[in-house]
Amino acid sequence: MTPPRALPQGMTCYKTTTHFTRDNVPKSLLASHSVKAGVWGLLRVARGRIRYCVDGNPPSSEIVHGGQSAVIAPETLHHVEFIDVEGAFFIEFYRS
């Protein structure tokens, strides 16, 4: 499954996480998980490179560089992987 490239129109950000690094990332984000129905996520990489992995059939992944983002669709199993030691990211959550 190829991740969507943009959030649907009409979405509003209602929550933003703290910046996560290797030192403080919740282990649950490194394992397969999903956001709930009706909620979209936007993975924003602050620095370094993060691999965003969609755990579908077939699986897919993309490398997201500092200053870039990846869209997380509702109910899509996924996880993240740090590529660089200095990697940092945060997640914005959107709903209509």
Side-chain angles (χ1 to χ4, degrees), residues 1-2 54-61:
M1 173 184 212
T2 303
V54 175
D55 302 325
N57 188 12
S60 65
S61 69

Side-chain angles (χ1 to χ4, degrees), residues 50-79:
I50 303 294
R51 180 175 287 116
Y52 170 61
C53 304
V54 175
D55 302 325
N57 188 12
S60 65
S61 69
E62 66 179 289
I63 296 174
V64 187
H65 296 259
Q68 297 179 334
S69 60
V71 175
I72 304 167
E75 302 181 279
T76 300
L77 290 175
H78 64 280
H79 69 277

Side-chain angles (χ1 to χ4, degrees), residues 7-83:
L7 292 169
Q9 290 185 350
M11 295 282 111
T12 302
C13 183
Y14 72 93
K15 181 180 176 183
T16 302
T17 67
T18 187
H19 278 67
F20 296 122
T21 65
R22 285 181 185 262
D23 296 329
N24 70 346
V25 66
K27 292 194 186 314
S28 60
L29 297 183
L30 304 175
S32 191
H33 66 283
S34 66
V35 292
K36 63 185 174 182
V39 174
W40 290 75
L42 193 59
L43 169 69
R44 293 195 178 269
V45 177
R47 65 178 183 271
R49 296 175 299 162
I50 303 294
R51 180 175 287 116
Y52 170 61
C53 304
V54 175
D55 302 325
N57 188 12
S60 65
S61 69
E62 66 179 289
I63 296 174
V64 187
H65 296 259
Q68 297 179 334
S69 60
V71 175
I72 304 167
E75 302 181 279
T76 300
L77 290 175
H78 64 280
H79 69 277
V80 296
E81 300 172 354
F82 286 90
I83 295 174

